Amino acid sequence: MTLIDFKQLLDKTGYPVAYFQFKATESTPAPDPPFLVYYTPSTSNFKADNKVYSKITNITVELYTNYKDLAAEQKLESLFDENDIPWDWDETWIESEQLFQRIYDIGVI
């Protein structure tokens, strides 16, 4: 799965999606939650004999919501499950933004 394919998959949620961040300006303000941000912080390639045998891109997907939004979480997790994308998550409250952040860690081959 390419990063373009992955972005198209995230678009199926119907939530606004951006790579790394939304660039808020006066004419295009940041979207209201829920929204998604994704980025590729690293790789976990399978290596042997001085070669990369399997490229694995680590993708982080962040779901931002105004409240603990179980429906939004389920929508995203079901999308991952239906497309055989393994995931783990962490969650935090961002006090300064008054937002919940659910962070999904995914490895895509």
Side-chain angles (χ1 to χ4, degrees):
M1 176 177 287
T2 68
L3 201 55
I4 292 169
D5 296 332
F6 190 78
K7 199 288 190 177
Q8 290 171 345
L9 190 67
L10 292 177
D11 286 338
K12 291 181 180 181
T13 63
Y15 302 136
V17 179
Y19 185 83
F20 206 74
Q21 66 180 343
F22 286 92
K23 294 278 188 180
T25 66
E26 285 187 33
S27 60
T28 57
D32 291 328
F35 60 85
L36 300 169
V37 173
Y38 71 103
Y39 53 94
T40 53
S42 63
T43 61
S44 296
N45 295 333
F46 175 72
K47 303 170 283 285
D49 302 324
N50 296 321
K51 294 181 183 181
V52 173
Y53 279 95
S54 182
K55 294 180 182 180
I56 302 170
T57 301
N58 297 322
I59 300 175
T60 298
V61 177
E62 298 174 354
L63 169 65
Y64 292 90
T65 58
N66 287 326
Y67 55 91
K68 176 70 174 162
D69 193 335
L70 297 174
E73 293 169 7
Q74 183 60 47
K75 186 177 203 176
L76 189 55
E77 291 168 13
S78 292
L79 183 71
F80 293 153
D81 292 344
E82 291 164 7
N83 288 277
D84 299 322
I85 297 172
W87 49 272
D88 291 301
W89 62 262
D90 290 304
E91 186 173 86
T92 190
W93 169 251
I94 304 173
E95 184 69 34
S96 62
E97 301 293 327
Q98 295 291 292
L99 291 174
F100 279 96
Q101 178 190 43
R102 186 130 182 182
I103 305 163
Y104 292 89
D105 293 314
I106 297 165
V108 176
I109 297 175

